[in-house]
C-alpha cells in the first residue's frame, strides 16, 4: 500500500510511519514541521507543506504524483490550553486542513482515510466511555476534532469514502529515543522535565472520589496507538462510511501511580507536590475499547510500567546524546 501520512514527523505520526515502513508499505510524509521533527522519519520521502494554507490542487498533486492509496491524517494543532487562547487558529487550521484534504482526496480518487481524533471530544464525561457517549467537547481543540469527524462522515455520504476516526485517550511512552515525545504538554513529559530540573513533580488535586484521591486516566502506549492505526487501515470495509473508534487500554491508572512510578524509575528522592485541583478535571475517564477490538482484533499490548520505563529510557538516551555532542 502507498500511504500518505500527514503530520508524520510528529510524535504519534512518526511511530506510525516507522511501523508502516517496517512492514513494507511505501510511505510519503507530509508535514509543515511546525512541531514535527524531520530527523524522526529518516529517509522516508518527505513533502514540506502546510495543509491548511496550501491550495487543494497542490495537495491533490501530492496524492496523484505518489500514487497514494490511503491517507492517515495526524496534522493538527493539539494543545488544549493554546486552543482556548487561540480558538480561531485552531478552527482555521485543524478544520481547514481536513476540508482541503478531503477535497483533494476526492479529486484524486483516494478513498481510504484514518483520522486522528481525540477523547477530548467527550469533554467532561466520566467513567468508562464508549463511542456512544455524548460528544460534548469543552475546549476548541476537542471541538475541532469533533467537527473533523463530522466533515468526514458527511464526505462519506457524498462520495465513496471509507474512513475511520480514532479517539485516543492518554498517549505516552516511546518506541525508541529518537521518536520520543519532546513537547512537555502531557503528564509524563512534564514530570520528567521537572525531575530533570530537580523540581518535584506536581499532582493537581488529591481529594477526588478515587482510590487514592487523584484523577484516574487511561494511559496507552504510543506503539499500541500506532499499531491501532495499521489495524484499522487494514480493516476498513468496502462500503463507504466513517467508523468512530476509541483507542485506549480500558484500564484506569491514577496520577499518583504514574508520578510514583516516574519517581521510582528515575531514582530521585523528590516527593510529589500536591496542588489544588484544576478546574474542569473529571475524577476518572477510561476508554471502552470493545468496538475497536471487535472491528480489528486489536488490543493494547503494553502496560503502564512499559510506558513509564520507555519514556524514562528515551529521556536518558536523549540526555546522553546531548551531552556527547555538547562543546567542551
Amino acid at each position: 500500500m502507498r500511504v500518505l501520512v500527514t503530520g508524520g514527523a510528529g510524535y504519534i505520526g512518526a511511530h506510525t510511519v516507522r511501523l508502516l515502513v517496517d512492514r513494507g508499505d511505501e510511505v510519503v510524509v507530509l508535514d509543515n514541521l511546525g512541531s514535527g521533527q524531520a530527523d524522526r522519519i529518516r529517509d522516508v520521502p518527505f513533502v514540506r507543506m502546510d495543509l491548511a494554507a496550501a491550495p487543494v490542487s497542490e495537495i491533490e498533486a501530492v496524492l496523484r504524483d505518489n500514487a497514494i492509496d490511503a491517507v492517515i491524517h495526524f496534522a493538527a494543532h493539539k494543545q488544549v490550553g493554546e486552543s482556548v487562547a487561540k480558538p480561531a487558529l485552531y478552527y482555521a487550521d485543524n478544520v481547514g486542513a481536513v476540508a482541503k484534504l478531503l477535497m483533494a482526496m476526492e479529486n484524486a480518487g483516494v478513498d481510504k482515510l484514518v483520522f486522528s481524533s481525540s477523547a477530548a471530544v467527550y469533554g467532561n464525561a466520566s467513567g468508562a466511555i464508549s463511542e456512544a457517549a455524548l460528544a460534548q467537547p469543552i475546549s476548541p481543540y476537542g471541538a475541532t476534532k469533533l467537527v473533523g469527524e463530522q466533515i468526514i462522515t458527511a464526505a462519506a455520504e457524498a462520495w465513496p469514502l471509507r474512513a475511520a476516526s480514532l479517539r485516543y485517550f492518554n498517549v505516552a511512552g516511546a518506541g525508541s529515543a529518537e521518536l520520543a515525545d519532546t513537547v512537555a504538554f502531557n503528564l509524563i513529559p512534564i514530570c520528567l522535565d521537572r525531575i530533570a530540573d530537580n523540581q518535584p513533580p506536581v499532582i493537581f488535586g488529591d481529594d477526588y472520589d478515587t482510590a487514592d484521591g487523584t484523577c484516574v486516566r487511561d494511559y496507552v502506549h504510543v506503539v499500541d496507538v500506532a499499531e491501532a492505526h495499521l489495524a484499522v487501515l487494514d480493516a476498513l470495509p468496502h462500503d463507504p462510511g466513517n467508523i468512530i473508534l476509541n483507542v485506549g487500554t480500558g484500564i484506569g491508572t491514577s496520577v499518583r501511580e504514574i508520578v510514583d512510578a516516574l519517581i521510582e524509575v528515575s531514582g530521585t528522592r523528590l516527593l510529589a507536590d500536591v496542588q489544588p485541583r484544576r478546574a474542569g478535571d473529571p475524577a476518572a475517564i477510561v476508554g471502552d475499547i470493545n468496538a475497536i477490538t471487535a472491528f480489528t482484533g486489536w488490543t493494547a499490548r503494553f502496560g503502564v510500567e512499559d510506558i513509564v520505563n520507555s519514556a524514562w529510557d528515551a529521556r536518558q538516551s536523549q540526555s546522553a546524546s546531548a551531552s556527547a555532542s555538547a562543546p567542551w
Side-chain angles (χ1 to χ4, degrees):
M1 195 181 302
R2 296 184 63 86
V3 184
L4 177 69
V5 181
T6 72
Y11 170 51
I12 305 174
H15 280 88
T16 304
V17 167
R18 184 70 57 87
L19 293 183
L20 287 165
V21 170
D22 287 349
R23 78 174 191 175
D25 290 309
E26 296 183 56
V27 181
V28 177
V29 169
L30 186 153
D31 202 302
N32 68 1
L33 298 183
S35 59
Q37 299 172 12
D39 56 359
R40 283 174 168 154
I41 58 174
R42 297 178 178 173
D43 57 352
V44 174
F46 174 67
V47 177
R48 186 164 187 173
M49 180 183 291
D50 185 334
L51 280 176
V56 172
S57 59
E58 291 186 10
I59 305 169
E60 180 184 344
V62 173
L63 296 168
R64 291 187 183 277
D65 292 349
N66 293 282
I68 296 299
D69 300 306
V71 177
I72 302 179
H73 179 49
F74 293 101
H77 299 295
K78 63 176 186 177
Q79 299 174 33
V80 171
E82 183 184 54
S83 79
V84 174
K86 301 177 180 179
L89 172 67
Y90 271 66
Y91 276 92
D93 286 4
N94 288 4
V95 176
V98 173
K100 286 187 173 182
L101 177 62
L102 286 169
M103 286 188 281
M105 289 177 64
E106 182 180 11
N107 293 344
V110 179
D111 67 350
K112 293 185 283 293
L113 172 66
V114 178
F115 173 57
S116 168
S117 189
S118 170
V121 302
Y122 296 121
N124 276 332
S126 61
I129 304 172
S130 77
E131 295 84 354
L134 178 65
Q136 198 168 20
I138 58 173
S139 70
Y141 165 70
T144 63
K145 288 299 184 179
L146 182 58
V147 173
E149 291 182 7
Q150 292 167 342
I151 297 172
I152 293 166
T153 297
E157 294 173 356
W159 57 279
L161 174 67
R162 303 151 57 193
S165 296
L166 306 189
R167 294 173 172 174
Y168 324 141
F169 284 75
N170 296 63
V171 185
S176 59
E178 69 271 19
L179 300 182
D181 188 1
T182 58
V183 182
F185 292 113
N186 298 313
L187 175 64
I188 290 176
I190 288 173
C191 288
L192 289 177
D193 275 2
R194 289 186 64 85
I195 290 171
D197 291 338
N198 199 35
Q199 298 181 43
V202 176
I203 294 174
F204 292 100
D206 64 351
D207 57 351
Y208 289 91
D209 186 17
T210 60
D212 63 17
T214 66
C215 291
V216 171
R217 298 291 183 265
D218 187 339
Y219 296 90
V220 56
H221 199 294
V222 64
V223 172
D224 282 325
V225 174
E227 289 178 349
H229 284 80
L230 272 63
V232 170
L233 178 63
D234 293 343
L236 287 176
H238 293 291
D239 295 331
N242 181 26
I243 301 166
I244 309 297
L245 299 167
N246 286 339
V247 178
T249 65
I251 299 170
T253 304
S254 75
V255 170
R256 171 72 72 179
E257 289 173 319
I258 292 289
V259 170
D260 285 350
L262 290 169
I263 288 173
E264 181 178 358
V265 75
S266 66
T268 182
R269 294 185 178 182
L270 294 167
L271 298 177
D273 177 18
V274 178
Q275 296 287 330
R277 294 186 185 193
R278 294 179 300 190
D281 275 348
I285 302 176
V286 177
D288 180 333
I289 61 166
N290 288 327
I292 191 172
T293 301
F295 182 59
T296 67
W298 174 91
T299 56
R301 296 189 295 120
F302 301 105
V304 168
E305 183 178 356
D306 301 304
I307 290 172
V308 169
N309 288 341
S310 67
W312 172 252
D313 290 345
R315 179 61 182 255
Q316 291 298 95
S317 179
Q318 289 174 339
S319 297
S321 296
S323 296
S325 60
W328 291 99

